[in-house]
Structure formats: C-alpha cells, structure tokens
Amino acid sequence: SVRFCICFNSILVFGILERIPGGIYVRGKNLPQVPTIYELSCYEMNFAMLVEDFLSNITFPEYRQMIVEVLMVVSTVLQRNPEVNFEPTLNLDDLLQDSINMFNQDKGKTMQKQTSEQTDAYDNTTSYA
C-alpha cells in the first residue's frame, strides 16, 4: 500500500515535471525538471525515492496530504488541457494557499447568504401586522 502510494506520487510528479520547465517548489525546496526527467524514468525506484525525499520536507501529515491532492488535480488538469502551462515554476505552497483563500471567500459568501436568508425568514415569521 505504501509502495503503491510512493510509485503513484512519482508518476504524477513526473508528468507534471515534463510540462514545467522550472520544476516544482514546496516548502522552499525545488525539484527541477532538468536534469531530473532526463536522467531518471518515472518507474525507477530512484525517482520514487527522489519524490519521497522532496515531499519529506512537509512535516505535517495533513499539509502533505493536501499537497498530494493538489498534485493530483494539477496532473489531471495538465493531462486534459495540453494548452495549459505553469511558467516558469509551480509553487505548490502558493497554489494551495490561493485555493484555501478562494474556499474561505466562497464559504464566507455562502454563510452570509444563508444567514441573510435565515434572518429574512425569521423576520417574516415574527412580524406583527
């Protein structure tokens, strides 16, 4: 199970590295495109260990899981949309933070709308004519 996850992550990362010239950054550490994808294949254990070492900078398991999920989303987007590029690098920390900010903004709008609707509904049921 753990070995499958390591290999799966490395295949995702290899596909992303093929499309991002400057490589991938997380927690200040860079996994460069060159020479990585020219010296290793995505199925080599050395590449899997390199990816695992790259992700090992993430100390919190929750954050690491979110980074892996971001990698999955980025990989899917790049596979389905060949015209999309991240230039020159992909900073996973920034991408995740932007995603969290957008989620919080959407959640705030939804919460405001729900609160407003609940308040209006309450006002309508308690008004005296």
Side-chain angles (χ1 to χ4, degrees):
S1 169
V2 171
R3 186 174 180 172
F4 172 77
C5 289
I6 292 172
C7 292
F8 182 71
N9 289 342
S10 63
I11 292 170
L12 287 175
V13 170
F14 195 88
I16 294 169
L17 277 177
E18 288 179 317
R19 302 272 302 274
I20 301 175
I24 303 171
Y25 282 88
V26 68
R27 294 290 184 213
K29 190 170 182 182
N30 182 351
L31 182 62
Q33 180 191 60
V34 177
T36 307
I37 65 171
Y38 297 113
E39 293 180 357
L40 302 169
S41 77
C42 63
Y43 301 107
E44 284 185 60
M45 188 53 90
N46 287 340
F47 181 71
M49 297 303 287
L50 182 66
V51 170
E52 188 60 28
D53 181 57
F54 175 67
L55 294 175
S56 71
N57 283 337
I58 305 168
T59 55
F60 297 107
E62 301 88 355
Y63 193 78
R64 180 185 168 114
Q65 180 62 37
M66 291 187 347
I67 290 293
V68 169
E69 291 181 22
V70 167
L71 285 169
M72 291 172 56
V73 169
V74 168
S75 175
T76 301
V77 167
L78 291 175
Q79 286 174 359
R80 293 182 182 174
N81 302 288
E83 72 280 1
V84 174
N85 289 312
F86 291 90
E87 298 267 344
T89 63
L90 173 61
N91 187 318
L92 295 174
D93 296 317
D94 290 347
L95 186 58
L96 182 57
Q97 188 59 52
D98 290 346
S99 301
I100 290 169
N101 291 342
M102 289 190 313
F103 172 79
N104 286 333
Q105 286 175 351
D106 289 346
K107 184 178 174 187
K109 289 177 186 174
T110 302
M111 292 295 289
Q112 288 174 355
K113 183 178 178 186
Q114 288 175 350
T115 303
S116 169
E117 289 172 355
Q118 290 169 349
T119 303
D120 290 346
Y122 179 77
D123 289 343
N124 290 336
T125 58
T126 59
S127 63
Y128 297 103

